[in-house]
Amino acid sequence: MAKDAEKSTWKDFIWNSRTREFCGRTGSSWGLILLFYLVFYIFLAGMFCLTMYVMLQTLDDYKPTWQDRLGTPGMMIRPRGKAMEISYNTTNTETWDMYIKTLDNFLSPYNNSLQAEKNEECTPDQYFVQADSGDVKNNPKRSCQFNRTFLEKCSGLDDHTYGYQAGKPCIIIKLNRVIGMLPGKDGQAPFVTCGAKRYKVGKDEWKEDSDKIGEVEYYPENGTFNLMYYPYYGKKAQVNYSQPLVAIKFLNITLNEDINIECRIISNNIPPGSVRDKFAGKVSFKLRINTKG
């Protein structure tokens, strides 16, 4: 009898035919609850849409409204190798062929014919400023040519191996893009310099490979990032922008040894990078050229 009573009570809770209640509520009660939550969620959705609309009105399609810009832009190399280590054997084509392909792909947009087609010749050694006229945007903005031939012996045009086969490899350096950055003042362009990187060999002992790097050539001349490529206005405003590059060529680096190298950007308008950020204003890599089988 107790089980029948419990079963009857459970059934009455689900549907009570006498009071016409479902789960303890009448149809009108359920209708009011559903109406309340419908209005409530419509209100929340409306508030969300209004908030997003107001926020989007503060944004610029072409540049960040708020830009927490780093004082020192990062640097990167091509090819990068694995873990910033470039190692190969001059007698084994397979060990350096991947570096050649990387450089070919990276430099293909810099072919002179493509640059002449989409970019224009600019006046060197001065900023290429393209200001807007009040609320009237001067978009799309023009870009200056950076021709592959500027890299001379590291262009891959005369030597398709970029010196890797001869044990005189080329490394391409690029400075990360920062919208609105003016990297030099008083007409002095920033430039790249490379040298030995200090590394730890013991608990309190440091070492560097200054005597093993040998002679280094820079392209363009003096390893400069010409001022005419700045300021950068953003990917959407400056669609055809070609990032300037600097190539370094090692002419007589010590063979069959690991050489730790660090390249830095030198500018009278860019502060030195933080020691905590290994790519801020500098880039470090290891180079090893083997000649033994």
Side-chain angles (χ1 to χ4, degrees), residues 5-254:
E6 290 179 3
K7 188 175 182 180
S8 177
T9 302
W10 181 78
K11 287 182 176 181
D12 286 342
F13 174 75
I14 298 297
W15 173 248
N16 192 320
S17 59
R18 291 179 292 100
T19 59
R20 304 187 66 80
E21 292 179 348
F22 176 71
C23 292
R25 292 185 178 275
T26 62
S28 59
S29 177
W30 279 113
L32 290 173
I33 289 177
L34 293 175
L35 179 62
F36 168 79
Y37 280 106
L38 178 63
V39 173
F40 177 68
Y41 284 116
I42 289 176
F43 174 76
L44 288 181
M47 285 292 293
F48 175 77
C49 293
L50 178 62
T51 302
M52 290 296 296
Y53 174 78
V54 172
M55 183 189 70
L56 290 173
Q57 299 311 301
T58 67
L59 301 180
D60 192 307
D61 289 338
Y62 296 96
K63 66 178 182 179
T65 303
W66 307 106
Q67 187 174 356
D68 184 16
R69 189 179 74 189
L70 294 173
T72 307
M75 293 178 68
M76 187 47 65
I77 61 170
R78 292 292 186 277
R80 290 184 296 184
K82 294 182 179 179
M84 304 297 288
E85 295 184 10
I86 301 172
S87 177
Y88 71 96
N89 193 311
T90 56
T91 62
N92 186 351
T93 306
E94 294 181 355
T95 62
W96 48 265
D97 186 59
M98 57 182 175
Y99 300 137
I100 305 308
K101 290 180 180 178
T102 297
L103 290 172
D104 282 340
N105 292 333
F106 181 69
L107 293 177
S108 60
Y110 291 93
N111 288 338
N112 291 24
S113 57
L114 292 177
Q115 289 293 311
E117 180 181 335
K118 63 181 183 179
N119 292 335
E120 59 183 74
E121 296 183 8
C122 300
T123 304
D125 304 323
Q126 66 181 41
Y127 290 124
F128 188 32
V129 179
Q130 302 172 75
D132 298 327
S133 301
D135 294 333
V136 179
K137 302 294 183 182
N138 180 22
N139 294 323
K141 299 186 186 297
R142 296 165 293 162
S143 300
C144 299
Q145 293 181 19
F146 187 94
N147 294 323
R148 188 168 177 171
T149 51
F150 293 171
L151 301 179
E152 300 183 34
K153 295 179 183 178
C154 289
S155 66
L157 300 176
D158 297 326
D159 177 10
H160 75 280
T161 71
Y162 300 91
Y164 281 78
Q165 187 175 27
K168 301 178 180 181
C170 290
I171 307 293
I172 307 297
I173 297 177
K174 67 186 186 73
L175 194 64
N176 289 353
R177 303 179 186 186
V178 179
I179 294 177
M181 181 181 71
L182 301 174
K185 62 181 180 180
D186 300 327
Q188 298 183 26
F191 63 92
V192 172
T193 181
C194 298
K197 174 182 169 60
R198 295 180 71 237
Y199 58 96
K200 206 168 186 179
V201 294
K203 185 176 181 180
D204 298 311
E205 185 180 357
W206 293 82
K207 185 179 179 182
E208 63 179 42
D209 302 320
S210 300
D211 57 330
K212 299 178 182 179
I213 290 181
E215 186 180 358
V216 179
E217 288 184 342
Y218 297 87
Y219 310 103
E221 187 177 3
N222 300 322
T224 59
F225 292 106
N226 201 287
L227 297 180
M228 66 180 176
Y229 300 105
Y230 303 96
Y232 171 59
Y233 289 98
K235 188 174 182 179
K236 192 170 183 179
Q238 208 168 3
V239 179
N240 294 325
Y241 181 75
S242 293
Q243 195 168 359
L245 307 172
V246 167
I248 55 175
K249 186 177 182 65
F250 298 95
L251 299 181
N252 51 359
I253 195 167
T254 300

